Amino acid sequence: MIPAPTDSGATPRSRWKLLAWLVPVVVLVVVAGVLFARFLREQPALIDFLADYPGQSALPQSAPVGIPAWLAWQHGLNAFFLLFVVRSGLQLRRKQRPAAFFLRTNTGLLKTKNPPRRIGIELWLHLVVDTLFIANGVVYIVLLFATGQWVRLVPTRWDIVPNAFSAALQYASLDWPTENGWVNYNALQVLSYFAVVFLLAPAAIATGLRMSPAFVRRDIRWFPLAPATRVHWWILVAFLVFTAVHVFLVLATGALRNLNHIYTATDSDSPAGLIVFVATVVAMVVSVVLLKPPVLKALAGTMGAVK
């Protein structure tokens, strides 16, 4: 996809100077936010509010309990594909000359009326991992509704809004909300997961398609390229922020149990989930290291001509 326009005038020195100011400011804001949240929790009205809305919205009695193995597998695949979606997208944003160019073979199942366009192998990688990411997502959505797991991610009660505020206040005060993700996510988690799965992901696909080689040169007035490019960039930022917060909370709110939920589909405090998590991270790092231009050229060469 095409990266969002950016200001290239900033020098590395000015960026470090900005970072030197930004870090302490962020720390001060976080500390002030925690102190303010703790102050709010001591107010009588908020004490009663937290008692009425503890942070979880009740699920239907028919809601499934636990995390099935297919969900654990798809979560791992999703994280792996997302890593390369983000990495390849950031590489495209740098606007460097491609290490090589790829021309798709216009035969077989993927055959188009017009001749294929030549693209850089970095864009080829982005399109490939995007396709895998979307395919995994489609399977996930189908299984989510086929198995009834959707009720754990889709809000079904209006009290999820005050409960989400309650959970946010508890997080902000560093007094984590009492929860058991094996049975029911807290309200803030539900709204976050719902937004990522059903809002951010479709928006990323739609804006990504607008920037794809098939549509980038077309004048689509109801879907102009420039706004789609900017939205696509901010969706990437949203994914990064969500991932960072998600990983932090997984590790900070009971790492062993949470990792077993996610990676082994079990509700226990055994080290199995941690071992799989570490192995997954190692596999990601190794893949990033190995996926250099020579490897990309060899992989792309299986699908077309590389020069």
Side-chain angles (χ1 to χ4, degrees):
M1 284 51 175
I2 296 177
T6 183
D7 180 12
S8 58
T11 64
R13 185 175 179 181
S14 65
R15 289 173 181 170
W16 279 111
K17 187 180 293 186
L18 175 63
L19 190 62
W21 281 100
L22 186 61
V23 170
V25 169
V26 169
V27 171
L28 288 175
V29 170
V30 170
V31 171
V34 171
L35 294 176
F36 183 63
R38 287 184 174 274
F39 167 77
L40 289 178
R41 291 194 60 169
E42 295 176 355
Q43 306 310 305
L46 267 296
I47 292 175
D48 293 338
F49 174 81
L50 291 174
D52 293 335
Y53 299 100
Q56 274 191 347
S57 181
L59 292 175
Q61 291 185 350
S62 60
V65 175
I67 297 175
W70 65 262
L71 200 154
W73 275 97
Q74 288 214 288
H75 181 276
L77 287 173
N78 188 61
F80 188 81
F81 294 146
L82 183 61
L83 168 66
F84 287 99
V85 168
V86 171
R87 184 173 181 269
S88 58
L90 292 176
Q91 287 177 327
L92 292 173
R93 181 177 168 80
R94 298 192 191 107
K95 297 182 179 180
Q96 297 176 342
R97 178 175 174 79
F101 290 91
F102 168 79
L103 185 63
R104 176 174 56 84
T105 302
N106 199 25
T107 58
L109 294 177
L110 188 60
K111 185 175 182 179
T112 57
K113 180 179 179 181
N114 296 322
R117 288 178 52 196
R118 189 181 70 159
I119 60 176
I121 57 171
E122 290 81 8
L123 178 55
W124 169 84
L125 174 64
H126 194 61
L127 294 173
V128 169
V129 291
D130 279 351
T131 302
L132 295 173
F133 182 73
I134 293 171
N136 188 60
V138 170
V139 174
Y140 170 77
I141 294 296
V142 170
L143 291 175
L144 197 69
F145 284 93
T147 61
Q149 286 284 333
W150 68 270
V151 298
R152 289 166 53 89
L153 294 187
V154 179
T156 58
R157 296 164 55 100
W158 285 108
D159 70 347
I160 197 166
V161 176
N163 272 301
F165 176 79
S166 172
L169 183 61
Q170 294 175 64
Y171 278 127
S173 65
L174 300 184
D175 185 5
W176 310 129
T178 302
E179 62 183 48
N180 181 6
W182 185 255
V183 177
N184 187 9
Y185 300 124
N186 70 54
L188 191 59
Q189 287 176 306
V190 173
L191 291 181
S192 300
Y193 298 159
F194 175 82
V196 168
V197 173
F198 296 102
L199 299 178
L200 277 185
I205 295 170
T207 53
L209 285 174
R210 179 63 183 92
M211 295 186 294
S212 69
F215 299 102
V216 66
R217 294 185 180 179
R218 297 188 185 183
D219 182 17
I220 306 176
R221 295 184 178 181
W222 58 270
F223 198 3
L225 179 60
T229 303
R230 293 189 180 91
V231 170
H232 198 69
W233 163 250
W234 285 110
I235 291 172
L236 169 63
V237 173
F239 270 120
L240 290 175
V241 171
F242 168 80
T243 302
V245 174
H246 178 60
V247 172
F248 170 76
L249 291 178
V250 165
L251 298 178
T253 59
L256 289 179
R257 194 175 186 189
N258 289 334
L259 290 174
N260 276 314
H261 290 177
I262 295 171
Y263 286 100
T264 66
T266 60
D267 186 27
S268 71
D269 292 325
S270 76
L274 176 61
I275 293 172
V276 177
F277 170 69
V278 172
T280 301
V281 172
V282 171
M284 289 179 173
V285 173
V286 171
S287 298
V288 169
V289 172
L290 292 179
L291 210 56
K292 300 297 184 182
V295 177
L296 281 180
K297 292 177 186 178
L299 293 175
T302 64
M303 301 173 61
V306 178
K307 295 183 180 180

